[in-house]
Amino acid sequence: MNVAKALLSIMTLTSLTACTALPAGPSRSTGPLVIQEQGSFAAGGKVVSTPGTYDNNNPAAQGQTFHGDHLYAFYQIPQNPKPLPIVMLHGAYQSARSWETTSDGREGFQTLFLRRGFPVYLVDQPRRGRAGNSTVAATIEPTPFDQLFFDQFRIGKWPDYFDNVQFDRKPETLDQFFRSVTPNTGPYDADVISDAMAALFDKTGPGILFSHSQAGGPGWLTAIKSENVKGIVALEPGSGFIFPEGELPREMPSAAGTLTPEAVPLADFERLTRVPIVIYYGDNFPVEPTTERGQDNWRVRLAMARLWVDAINKHGGDAQLVHLPEIGIRGNTHFLMSDLNNVQIANLVSEFLEEKDLD
Amino acid sequence: MNVAKALLSIMTLTSLTACTALPAGPSRSTGPLVIQEQGSFAAGGKVVSTPGTYDNNNPAAQGQTFHGDHLYAFYQIPQNPKPLPIVMLHGAYQSARSWETTSDGREGFQTLFLRRGFPVYLVDQPRRGRAGNSTVAATIEPTPFDQLFFDQFRIGKWPDYFDNVQFDRKPETLDQFFRSVTPNTGPYDADVISDAMAALFDKTGPGILFSHSQAGGPGWLTAIKSENVKGIVALEPGSGFIFPEGELPREMPSAAGTLTPEAVPLADFERLTRVPIVIYYGDNFPVEPTTERGQDNWRVRLAMARLWVDAINKHGGDAQLVHLPEIGIRGNTHFLMSDLNNVQIANLVSEFLEEKDLD
């Protein structure tokens, strides 16, 4: 049977070779993605009606309805998925675009975490992007904010890049970055957003929430409203720092305006103590007051976030804050998930998820 | 060597079995999708500037820029892709959402054509969805149009569904359909759209354009502006029927308003004669005038499209029109790519692409 044994050995090798030419599983960091299912849907929202009778052949507002204030979600489920999906919620002036391809053309958190085996849901929040139908009217002006964004998102101090900035300096990269901006199509409303997010978590079941910037606030509210939020990864939360009534820290003035904490009932706040939470902030802003507006904006947010983490933990929760320069990671802008070192940031997040049994 | 031969045979079978347990190539109609690459980017657009000097620490409009009027594209390239990608452009009140999951939760044209091996690019046109930054201001009102859309998109005559309609009647399906609507964030401008689309085709290289409804017009303009458009599949084109100067047919009054053809220079029109074009229209509207507004809207569009096809062919082009009921396909709404029989429609499109050597 030696011939047979040899053949067996050869054939096994051949078989393996043939198979590895096909795409591998979700743990691949490069190569083809294997998607079990993908698609999109709306979640949450309202229906408003106009009184009167609809006339099919002479339609006016009378007797018609309008669907709005829902979110839009695009999801991908990799083969052999991990049990908890990740839901990613963008910040101000952004859409789900924030989590996709980086401005310089590399893979963003959407695809990086898909490769790590997580089902990934990308959200356009109510009144933004593909979820543009707002039940409240708005006027949109072409507001020239590029230079303000360059400063405030800590790419540098316009027109100069920070020396160590984790942002590619090709002009086309900055062009793509500015074109990721998209306006509100209705007034920003953290309750409208978190209502729709809770409806999304009803559909996904238990999952992990990633928030960026302005989404910090609606993110906490989502975890208060939905027991399906099992962990939160907040990248540079910028708004909506909520504390129990009677336990508010002082407001914090800065060169970019005053940051004011917000009160919620203690019972609501305590719902945030049930899940592990990590917050990350990047580089290039001081911890002492500065007259540099774009940087001082983040000084007070970091300071407020530290008080917030303390409050969560004092109430029995499990929150931590990582100021990246303190662990030797330098040069990060406000867009940690798109920076040149975004794989390193994703690795940090993966370690957190593993440590908290969320993966 | 019989034992070895038998083993060889067994091992080959085993090997095949092992491999088919892994995802198969792009021709699979079900099962995992194998994506070689996916991502998103902006294409085209303008930069507008405000005079003056930017003050980093007291920012106002002065000296700042604004990036707008670009489109947003999300692309997926399957393993072993066919040579020509498909670029899909949505219609009025819609976004790339049009081509994704159907309102009743099945795969839309995005994933169906990925499975057939085409790289697929989904567009949010300038001033819509994730490409919301418009260089021209707009006011967005929550206009109640649900019932009008139900009629005009030929789901039925509100509140009744057409008897044969290819639209699922679960209430949540209609809810999802209404929530696929998203507003303009700036004035509709076929030139702005087709400029950005031509910039997109610069990036994709030679490809096929799928247009829906209002995108018909910008679609023709894109093919005039870009030699990379190698074929057009127009689903129920609803606007922008262009004819050579001096060859305009009469305008067509209808219960839904008057449809007016538009003039372009002959040289531009003739650029449309270089590529194969197919147009599809669905069911449930008469070819004779009716007082039913939602249906009469399509009567004149079908009639104008027939004249348009004749004009293209008279000038040496290769255009055809398929009125689906005439080939026995009944019940289609305005959203052919999402209807219950959307696989049948996709099959028709695939036959066209094969016939024209576009696959």
Side-chain angles (χ1 to χ4, degrees):
Chain A
M1 295 293 286
N2 276 354
V3 170
K5 270 189 184 166
L7 251 176
L8 186 75
S9 163
I10 289 163
M11 288 311 301
T12 305
L13 271 172
T14 311
S15 153
L16 281 171
T17 308
C19 286
T20 51
L22 287 174
S27 64
R28 290 276 295 258
S29 62
T30 58
L33 284 160
V34 186
I35 305 293
Q36 177 183 306
E37 190 187 330
Q38 68 177 20
S40 64
F41 56 86
K46 303 190 190 86
V47 182
V48 294
S49 308
T50 311
T53 303
Y54 173 66
D55 179 350
N56 303 73
N57 294 329
N58 189 20
Q62 286 75 35
Q64 292 208 60
T65 57
F66 173 87
H67 286 63
D69 292 356
H70 48 269
L71 62 72
Y72 160 93
F74 177 74
Y75 69 94
Q76 293 181 297
I77 301 173
Q79 211 172 34
N80 309 315
K82 292 179 187 285
L84 295 183
I86 297 173
V87 177
M88 302 184 181
L89 181 61
H90 59 80
Y93 296 99
Q94 291 281 310
S95 67
R97 172 81 188 83
S98 287
W99 308 97
E100 296 174 349
T101 307
T102 64
S103 294
D104 59 335
R106 294 168 299 107
E107 289 183 354
F109 268 25
Q110 174 189 39
T111 301
L112 290 178
F113 280 90
L114 265 174
R115 289 192 182 285
R116 295 172 188 209
F118 292 93
V120 173
Y121 288 72
L122 294 195
V123 171
D124 284 358
Q125 72 187 24
R127 308 177 180 176
R128 193 81 59 79
R130 294 175 181 169
N133 259 10
S134 165
T135 60
V136 182
T139 295
I140 300 176
E141 304 275 358
T143 314
F145 268 169
D146 289 345
Q147 284 65 29
L148 182 153
F149 289 151
F150 187 92
D151 287 350
Q152 182 137 333
F153 298 151
R154 303 196 320 277
I155 297 170
K157 181 178 177 181
W158 181 267
D160 300 316
Y161 289 84
F162 288 130
D163 282 345
N164 67 0
V165 72
Q166 298 277 2
F167 191 92
D168 173 77
R169 299 183 191 208
K170 288 193 293 293
E172 54 267 38
T173 297
L174 194 57
D175 183 80
Q176 284 289 322
F177 179 75
F178 287 144
R179 294 187 189 283
S180 71
V181 170
T182 199
N184 278 322
T185 57
Y188 173 82
D189 187 323
D191 262 323
V192 166
I193 295 166
S194 51
D195 283 348
M197 286 291 287
L200 173 58
F201 273 99
D202 284 346
K203 295 198 185 199
T204 63
I208 305 156
L209 173 62
F210 284 20
S211 69
H212 179 232
S213 192
Q214 190 185 55
W220 319 135
L221 297 181
T222 302
I224 289 172
K225 293 176 181 179
S226 173
E227 297 209 347
N228 280 334
V229 177
K230 297 302 183 191
I232 302 178
V233 174
L235 306 180
E236 298 225 342
S239 76
F241 292 98
I242 50 176
F243 291 84
E245 286 162 354
E247 299 182 32
L248 264 68
R250 287 190 189 164
E251 58 183 25
M252 297 184 176
S254 84
T258 296
L259 180 61
T260 308
E262 297 169 27
V264 293
L266 177 62
D268 281 356
F269 186 81
E270 284 180 336
R271 294 171 76 95
L272 294 173
T273 65
R274 299 169 312 189
V275 300
I277 298 173
V278 64
I279 296 175
Y280 299 94
Y281 283 96
D283 198 3
N284 287 314
F285 61 95
V287 293
E288 296 300 322
T290 167
T291 55
E292 299 297 334
R293 183 188 180 284
Q295 300 170 45
D296 215 40
N297 181 71
W298 300 106
R299 173 186 64 81
V300 292
R301 279 160 176 78
L302 172 65
M304 187 69 81
R306 287 199 195 280
L307 298 182
W308 189 84
V309 163
D310 291 346
I312 290 285
N313 292 337
K314 189 185 119 193
H315 284 274
D318 174 14
Q320 55 186 289
L321 187 150
V322 182
H323 188 198
L324 294 170
E326 291 173 21
I327 59 169
I329 300 179
R330 311 293 314 203
N332 279 102
T333 75
H334 181 52
F335 283 73
L336 308 177
M337 65 285 204
S338 307
D339 282 338
L340 288 172
N341 63 343
N342 69 340
V343 171
Q344 185 180 23
I345 305 299
N347 291 346
L348 280 184
V349 172
S350 285
E351 283 164 26
F352 167 80
L353 298 178
E354 188 183 355
E355 183 188 314
K356 301 301 179 186
D357 280 332
L358 294 170
D359 71 340
Chain B
M1 292 295 285
N2 276 354
V3 171
K5 269 190 183 164
L7 252 176
L8 186 76
S9 162
I10 289 162
M11 290 309 300
T12 305
L13 271 172
T14 310
S15 155
L16 281 171
T17 308
C19 287
T20 50
L22 288 175
S27 64
R28 289 277 295 256
S29 62
T30 58
L33 283 161
V34 186
I35 306 293
Q36 176 183 307
E37 190 188 330
Q38 68 178 21
S40 63
F41 56 84
K46 303 189 190 88
V47 182
V48 296
S49 308
T50 312
T53 304
Y54 173 66
D55 179 349
N56 302 74
N57 295 328
N58 189 22
Q62 285 75 36
Q64 292 209 61
T65 57
F66 173 87
H67 286 63
D69 293 355
H70 48 268
L71 62 74
Y72 159 93
F74 177 75
Y75 69 94
Q76 294 181 297
I77 301 173
Q79 210 172 34
N80 308 315
K82 292 179 186 285
L84 296 183
I86 298 173
V87 176
M88 301 184 182
L89 181 62
H90 59 79
Y93 295 99
Q94 291 281 311
S95 68
R97 172 79 188 85
S98 288
W99 308 97
E100 296 174 349
T101 307
T102 64
S103 294
D104 58 337
R106 294 168 299 106
E107 289 182 352
F109 268 25
Q110 174 188 40
T111 302
L112 290 178
F113 280 90
L114 266 174
R115 289 193 182 284
R116 294 172 188 209
F118 292 93
V120 173
Y121 289 72
L122 295 194
V123 172
D124 284 358
Q125 73 187 22
R127 309 178 180 176
R128 191 81 59 81
R130 294 175 181 169
N133 260 11
S134 164
T135 61
V136 183
T139 295
I140 300 176
E141 304 276 357
T143 314
F145 268 170
D146 289 345
Q147 284 65 29
L148 182 153
F149 288 153
F150 187 92
D151 288 349
Q152 184 138 332
F153 298 152
R154 303 197 319 278
I155 298 170
K157 181 177 177 182
W158 180 268
D160 301 314
Y161 289 84
F162 288 131
D163 283 343
N164 67 1
V165 71
Q166 297 276 2
F167 191 91
D168 172 77
R169 299 184 190 206
K170 288 192 293 294
E172 54 266 38
T173 298
L174 194 57
D175 183 80
Q176 285 288 322
F177 179 75
F178 286 144
R179 294 186 189 284
S180 71
V181 170
T182 199
N184 278 323
T185 57
Y188 173 83
D189 186 322
D191 263 321
V192 167
I193 296 166
S194 52
D195 283 348
M197 286 290 289
L200 173 59
F201 274 98
D202 284 347
K203 295 199 184 197
T204 63
I208 305 156
L209 172 62
F210 284 19
S211 69
H212 178 231
S213 191
Q214 189 185 55
W220 318 136
L221 297 180
T222 302
I224 289 172
K225 292 176 182 180
S226 173
E227 297 208 348
N228 279 335
V229 177
K230 296 303 183 191
I232 302 177
V233 174
L235 306 181
E236 298 224 343
S239 76
F241 293 98
I242 51 177
F243 291 83
E245 287 161 353
E247 299 183 32
L248 264 69
R250 287 190 189 165
E251 58 183 24
M252 296 185 177
S254 83
T258 297
L259 180 63
T260 308
E262 298 168 28
V264 292
L266 176 62
D268 281 357
F269 187 82
E270 284 180 338
R271 294 171 76 94
L272 294 172
T273 64
R274 300 169 312 189
V275 300
I277 298 172
V278 64
I279 296 174
Y280 299 94
Y281 284 96
D283 198 3
N284 286 315
F285 61 94
V287 293
E288 296 300 321
T290 166
T291 55
E292 300 295 334
R293 183 187 180 285
Q295 300 169 46
D296 214 40
N297 181 72
W298 300 106
R299 174 186 64 82
V300 290
R301 280 160 176 77
L302 172 65
M304 187 70 81
R306 287 199 195 280
L307 297 182
W308 189 84
V309 163
D310 290 346
I312 291 285
N313 292 336
K314 190 185 118 195
H315 284 274
D318 174 14
Q320 55 185 289
L321 187 151
V322 181
H323 189 199
L324 294 170
E326 290 173 23
I327 60 168
I329 300 178
R330 311 293 313 206
N332 280 101
T333 75
H334 180 53
F335 283 73
L336 308 177
M337 65 285 204
S338 306
D339 282 338
L340 289 171
N341 62 344
N342 69 338
V343 171
Q344 185 180 23
I345 304 301
N347 290 346
L348 279 184
V349 172
S350 285
E351 283 165 24
F352 167 80
L353 298 178
E354 187 183 356
E355 183 188 314
K356 301 301 178 186
D357 279 332
L358 295 170
D359 72 341

